[in-house]
Amino acid sequence: GNKGMSAGESVTLTLQQVADLAHAVLRRHGLAEAHVGPVAATIIAGERDECASHGVYRLLNCVHTLNSGKVVPDAVPVVHHVSPALLRVDAAGGFAQLAFATGLPLLVEKARTMGIAAMGINRCVHFAALWPEVEALTDQGLVAFACTPSHAWVAPAGGTSPLFGTNPIAFGWPRPGGDPFVFDFATSAVARGEIELHRRAGKPIPEGWTIDAQGNPTTDAEAGLAGALLTFGGHKGSALSAMVELIAGPLIGDMTSAESLAHDDGAKASPYGGELIIAIDPAGFLGAAAAEHMQRAEALFDGITSQGARLPSQRRFAARRRTPAQGCRIPRALYEELAALS
Ligand code: NDP
Ligand code: PYC
């Protein structure tokens, strides 16, 4: 959302400055030290990969959520073995990042032993992008899937009242010797954070993202945020969004997006509830032959890129290689707001 900004309207920070800012803001607002590292890491990664809606902008949500008492700042996640292929992590009301990191080694171990394993995170506050989590699994050579409900902001296709969350779905596939294949997107036409960035910048939003409170299409970010987001791909995104509600909600004993919004009770804090993460070991089906078949999968990616199409995450990985030297460009107004909170 911030591309093409003149030097006067933005500031450029090194990744170290981004990290210092994130750590300082989170510490100043009472987040326990065990959480500061994992929470900051996901925000720094977002800024490094030029994901404006889930980079340092998210610090505002974190601070607001901390200030409103809707997250337990010193929660201690507890891991429960459920069965040989299942584990649950009770985040105890804390941010999801520490809970994810706490459960990750056991998820990996179970996936390697059983071929497939799932981790349900319960009672977590999730404000972030999902790709850092699926990349933690592709880094271990595993195929990964993750999803989480959010708050009821999205109307089902054919309806006009907010019911679903923006409900992201992320998938990761490890690739020999290269960046993984990763996609991660909201099942709404766009993440709500992206619409918020348009509102902050005073920019209209494209048609098809939202309807206003009367159910009419709108390109006004404020009116759209007060109405409902639309699903992506009509009934298809709507069904996928319902799936996320089900498998990362009742299936793991946690909240739907409507329940999360009711729990929020007007505080406008980040969503609260569960997350489902599935890890699959390619060696589970194929044993020693897995490497040969993973190599064969490369033809699919070549088939995409050889016709000029791009892979999802290709933009992010390009940014990741650029920002360590070039730094991260942040809207000046956002930087000043965050600096005042640090
Ligand atoms: P986008 O609509 O921008 O879609 C993002 C995905 O699509 C990325 O994998 C992106 O890769 C890929 N992509 C974009 N354009 C192309 C293209 N032309 N060709 C191929 N691939 C493409 O993102 P959203 O607004 O839907 O979501 C943004 C983020 O918000 C996600 O990370 C999501 O996890 C997060 N989110 C989190 C929520 C939560 O509750 N925790 C709720 C909702 C969203 P690339 O990055 O390389 O452009
Ligand atoms: O952008 O929709 C969103 C979002 C919700 C929670 C985190 N991001």
Side-chain angles (χ1 to χ4, degrees):
N2 307 306
K3 295 174 185 79
M5 196 169 282
S6 77
E9 292 171 293
S10 67
V11 295
T12 300
L13 302 184
T14 63
L15 280 174
Q16 186 58 52
Q17 288 170 320
V18 169
D20 292 345
L21 181 66
H23 286 98
V25 168
L26 294 168
R27 282 198 184 110
R28 166 129 182 242
H29 291 84
L31 186 62
E33 206 49 40
H35 284 273
V36 168
V39 169
T42 185
I43 287 169
I44 298 160
E47 206 56 54
R48 178 201 63 196
D49 284 16
E50 294 180 351
C51 297
S53 67
H54 287 76
V56 289
Y57 169 65
R58 283 285 139 189
L59 286 168
L60 296 180
N61 295 69
C62 291
V63 166
H64 181 73
T65 303
L66 284 160
N67 286 347
S68 60
K70 288 289 182 185
V71 64
V72 177
D74 56 353
V76 179
V78 178
V79 176
H80 299 279
H81 292 253
V82 177
S83 76
L86 299 177
L87 68 141
R88 290 172 81 164
V89 184
D90 181 358
F95 285 122
Q97 283 68 33
L98 182 61
F100 178 84
T102 305
L104 180 64
L106 188 58
L107 175 63
V108 170
E109 187 190 312
K110 284 179 184 287
R112 293 228 171 94
T113 308
M114 303 305 294
I116 183 166
M119 172 162 80
I121 300 178
N122 291 118
R123 301 202 296 151
C124 73
V125 175
H126 212 304
F127 65 84
L130 296 184
W131 55 259
E133 299 176 351
V134 298
E135 285 186 19
L137 290 161
T138 56
D139 284 351
Q140 304 276 341
L142 300 171
V143 176
F145 171 86
C147 64
T148 182
S150 62
H151 281 323
W153 289 319
V154 181
T160 53
S161 299
L163 176 68
F164 299 147
T166 44
N167 298 4
I169 294 179
F171 173 79
W173 175 275
R175 296 181 62 190
D179 296 322
F181 173 86
V182 174
F183 69 75
D184 171 22
F185 47 69
T187 47
S188 46
V190 71
R192 187 172 168 97
E194 190 62 37
I195 302 178
E196 291 168 3
L197 290 181
H198 280 73
R199 176 177 59 184
R200 285 177 70 88
K203 291 198 297 197
I205 53 173
E207 265 173 52
W209 283 10
T210 63
I211 48 178
D212 65 19
Q214 287 70 48
N216 300 312
T218 180
T219 58
D220 181 76
E222 186 79 53
L225 289 169
L229 275 68
L230 298 170
T231 57
F232 91 90
H235 63 282
K236 300 181 185 182
S238 195
L240 287 172
S241 196
M243 177 194 77
V244 173
E245 295 287 335
L246 295 170
I247 65 175
L251 185 73
I252 60 168
D254 222 311
M255 291 198 190
T256 61
S257 296
E259 289 166 342
S260 171
L261 193 60
H263 167 88
D264 187 65
D265 198 22
K268 296 189 189 302
S270 289
Y272 177 66
E275 178 180 0
L276 179 69
I277 300 114
I278 300 173
I280 307 171
D281 184 355
F285 280 108
L286 300 169
E292 170 195 337
H293 290 280
M294 296 299 278
Q295 198 55 53
R296 209 165 48 75
E298 290 299 301
L300 183 78
F301 303 123
D302 292 343
I304 296 172
T305 53
S306 66
Q307 52 181 294
R310 79 151 164 103
L311 298 177
S313 295
Q314 199 171 309
R315 178 201 64 80
R316 268 191 320 105
F317 293 135
R320 187 177 298 186
R321 286 185 253 283
R322 217 176 30 242
T323 49
Q326 284 186 5
C328 306
R329 219 150 61 123
I330 293 162
R332 182 174 295 278
L334 174 60
Y335 173 70
E336 285 170 359
E337 206 173 330
L338 291 173
L341 291 170
S342 70

